[in-house]
Amino acid sequence: MGFFQKLKEKVTQQVDKVTEQVEKASERISEAVSTAVEKTTEAVKTAIGFEKIKEGLSKTRKSFVDKLQSVLRVGRKIDDDLIDEIEEILITADIGVDTTDQIIKNLRMRVKKEGFENAEDLYALLKDEIKDILIKSPSSSLDAVYDTTEKPHVILVIGVNGVGKTTTIGKLAYNYRQAGKSVIIGAADTFRAAANEQLEIWAERADVEIIQQKQGADPAAVAYDTLNAAINREKEVVIIDTAGRLHNKTNLMAELEKISRVMKKLKENAPSDVFLVLDATTGQNAIQQAKEFMKVAGITGIVLTKLDGTAKGGVVIPIANELKIPVRYIGVGEKIDDLQAFVPEQFIDALFEDKSKTIEIKEED
């Protein structure tokens, strides 16, 4: 082999080696950029979600936080009268007697143990105690909210009429669609007039399929047809609406049992979830509703709606603490993207968010 041929081969090998290194470097850069974009996108979504929650809790925050700040003023010392005033504020914020007792008991213990004397110190302590309650509740140990490991993931949605059940189903379907999941809705509330039409409108908004029959049809048949269609069309998520009747618990229990029974013919562990929708504006009555539904259904999650329309948002705390059922989603507005996954830390930060601004204004005055 001649000198020039050897030189050519050597140069070719070097070029091939450099080309391979460049390609690998390019792949690494591409992966890094892709990862950075994904993280940025997720961070933006989280920030938007937090702003929605913060805005949705504005009425609760204004009532609850403003009252707290009025008693935790600078210069006041901690005494029994102050603790009693805080207790009253917690109860009137729909945090409930039992959960309030727990918070106050822990507050007294920390004040005594850690030697706090000034009233303004109690603000941070209260935030810590409420956050601790939510973090220790089932609401903080959920899997990825829109992850569906088994398909189709079947969600049965229950709740009395007027709590926002239909809109919740539409918004939940939209959230799953935005997460890249294929969704189908079953209109099994065949008892209420216009229920199908309302659900059909929300299905169209969410851009998902809907299975329905005429009013008065057997709800279990609708649920069966929906799940059957989901399996045949390889849908990932099934959301089943149900009638909102609690006044006749025997009939409701029989209906829910029948729906579950016929779906199990197609999918052994159906339904995967049973979500109870509650109206936050009803305050403590929402807890009583939940207790009644717990007698007739195996609830796996709670959706709390209409938080933006009430100062009773504190009811989230006793629901998470006393019922031992995860709060899965909260409704903070009327738009289709206003159903937010419930994240305890995010909720607390949004609830207590405006404290420093208010104190600064008071000090300037």
Side-chain angles (χ1 to χ4, degrees), residues 64-114:
F64 177 59
V65 173
D66 283 3
K67 287 179 181 177
L68 276 179
Q69 290 173 4
S70 69
V71 300
L72 300 179
R73 55 186 177 271
V74 176
R76 185 174 181 180
K77 297 297 182 182
I78 299 173
D79 55 23
D80 287 338
D81 289 340
L82 176 58
I83 300 295
D84 289 343
E85 289 179 55
I86 293 172
E87 183 175 16
E88 183 179 347
I89 291 170
L90 293 174
I91 291 174
T92 56
D94 274 276
I95 292 176
V97 175
D98 291 343
T99 301
T100 294
D101 284 346
Q102 180 180 336
I103 293 170
I104 293 298
K105 179 182 177 182
N106 291 341
L107 202 63
R108 289 182 183 276
M109 287 176 59
R110 287 194 63 183
V111 167
K112 184 177 181 180
K113 182 179 179 180
E114 300 175 37

Side-chain angles (χ1 to χ4, degrees), residues 20-177:
E20 184 180 353
Q21 291 174 342
V22 169
E23 287 176 351
K24 287 182 178 179
S26 179
E27 288 176 5
R28 288 196 295 269
I29 291 171
S30 178
E31 289 176 3
V33 170
S34 178
T35 301
V37 169
E38 288 178 4
K39 288 183 177 179
T40 301
T41 302
E42 191 61 35
V44 169
K45 287 181 179 178
T46 301
I48 292 173
F50 177 75
E51 287 302 316
K52 283 183 175 291
I53 293 170
K54 190 172 72 172
E55 184 179 347
L57 287 174
S58 60
K59 291 184 178 180
T60 297
R61 186 169 58 247
K62 181 172 177 56
S63 173
F64 177 59
V65 173
D66 283 3
K67 287 179 181 177
L68 276 179
Q69 290 173 4
S70 69
V71 300
L72 300 179
R73 55 186 177 271
V74 176
R76 185 174 181 180
K77 297 297 182 182
I78 299 173
D79 55 23
D80 287 338
D81 289 340
L82 176 58
I83 300 295
D84 289 343
E85 289 179 55
I86 293 172
E87 183 175 16
E88 183 179 347
I89 291 170
L90 293 174
I91 291 174
T92 56
D94 274 276
I95 292 176
V97 175
D98 291 343
T99 301
T100 294
D101 284 346
Q102 180 180 336
I103 293 170
I104 293 298
K105 179 182 177 182
N106 291 341
L107 202 63
R108 289 182 183 276
M109 287 176 59
R110 287 194 63 183
V111 167
K112 184 177 181 180
K113 182 179 179 180
E114 300 175 37
F116 290 103
E117 297 180 355
N118 299 318
E120 62 264 30
D121 294 332
L122 293 183
Y123 191 91
L125 293 185
L126 273 171
K127 181 178 179 180
D128 287 346
E129 288 302 324
I130 294 173
K131 180 182 285 190
D132 190 56
I133 285 174
L134 291 181
I135 288 174
K136 288 180 179 177
S137 75
S139 303
S140 65
S141 57
L142 302 177
D143 295 329
V145 180
Y146 303 114
D147 184 29
T148 51
T149 52
E150 44 87 26
K151 302 172 184 177
H153 187 83
V154 183
I155 303 171
L156 194 63
V157 182
I158 62 177
V160 300
N161 292 332
V163 296
K165 189 156 52 74
T166 302
T167 57
T168 294
I169 290 170
K171 293 173 182 179
L172 189 59
Y174 173 82
N175 284 356
Y176 273 109
R177 283 278 292 136

